[in-house]
Amino acid sequence: MPGYSETVDRLISALGGLPGIGAKSAERLAHHLLKCPVDEAIELADAIREAKDRIRHCEICFHLTEAEQPVCAICRDPRRDQGLVCVVEQSRDLMAVEKANAHPGVYHVLLGRLAPLQGIGPEQLTIDPLERRVRAGSIRELIMATNPNLEGDGTALLISNRLADTGVRITRLARGLASGSTLEFASRDMLADAVAGRQPF
Ligand SMILES: [Zn+2]
């Protein structure tokens, strides 16, 4: 971007690399950061650094957890039904289901969905650990809560096929969720209905 110094260019380009941030927004954010009090900008930088240093994936469900707690708060919660596992693509989908307050069980975060065209196959996801969890024997139901679009459905189907011989009950969120939509942006009520009305896969 001609007219900016190297340092400003670097900041704009780093911000522009974030999802959903186009060139114009990146430039606007950079100007904001340059204008705001130093403390505020440093606080943001520190929060990013600390999150990257300290946040890990839960050893059981792959949700985000602090480094000194290898198992997340949800998996550690004795009031949650450890036999009922809601399978989601991302931690932010888990947060959407949590906010809907509709799921008394625990989770499994796949860390993505199958996307063969982008080279994302089962081995890039946490399907093997999920299979080990199921084969260990204490899970009675998996609620497939992958997004209701082609890739989400494909991911749920593969998992369902792979676990067919285990006898675990596999259900899918009810289709109150519009096809092609994402969990993240569903309303709480819609999500709560979708969990309550789940169907055999
Ligand atoms: Zn966990």
Side-chain angles (χ1 to χ4, degrees), residues 2-197:
Y4 286 126
S5 73
E6 214 175 293
T7 308
V8 176
D9 276 346
R10 185 180 158 206
L11 180 59
I12 292 174
S13 126
L15 292 164
L18 298 171
I21 306 290
K24 279 250 180 304
S25 302
E27 200 177 347
R28 197 163 41 78
L29 286 170
H31 279 287
H32 169 78
L33 290 169
L34 292 170
K35 221 168 38 193
C36 76
V38 173
D39 290 359
E40 207 176 291
I42 298 301
E43 165 62 25
L44 174 64
D46 284 350
I48 295 172
R49 191 187 308 274
E50 193 174 334
K52 294 305 284 181
D53 279 351
R54 291 170 46 88
I55 299 300
R56 304 278 182 274
H57 293 296
C58 168
E59 285 177 0
I60 298 174
C61 75
F62 293 88
H63 183 35
L64 299 173
T65 183
E66 303 273 330
E68 59 274 17
Q69 295 283 8
V71 173
C72 76
I74 295 175
C75 288
R76 278 183 283 125
D77 186 345
R79 291 162 303 179
R80 305 207 57 138
D81 181 349
Q82 303 285 334
L84 181 63
V85 178
C86 182
V87 180
V88 293
E89 294 177 20
Q90 306 282 357
S91 272
R92 46 182 203 275
D93 299 326
L94 178 158
M95 294 308 294
V97 177
E98 278 298 280
K99 279 185 204 135
N101 210 2
H103 175 59
V106 293
Y107 293 88
H108 191 89
V109 181
L110 294 168
L111 302 180
R113 74 271 178 271
L114 292 179
L117 295 177
Q118 291 153 49
I120 302 173
E123 58 291 342
Q124 267 83 44
L125 307 178
T126 63
I127 294 176
D128 286 347
L130 174 61
E131 185 169 358
R132 285 196 290 277
R133 276 180 88 181
V134 170
R135 292 195 188 278
S138 53
I139 294 172
R140 24 169 239 292
E141 178 177 345
L142 292 184
I143 304 171
M144 290 297 167
T146 51
N147 286 308
N149 51 35
L150 205 62
E151 291 174 340
D153 285 341
T155 307
L157 186 64
L158 176 118
I159 293 171
S160 160
N161 287 341
R162 203 190 271 195
L163 299 176
D165 67 323
T166 62
V168 70
R169 180 169 185 240
I170 300 180
T171 53
R172 183 91 173 97
L173 289 188
R175 287 294 187 154
L177 290 172
S179 199
S181 65
T182 56
L183 253 57
E184 203 183 341
F185 299 114
S187 80
R188 286 181 198 190
D189 291 347
M190 205 190 286
L191 257 179
D193 286 349
V195 175

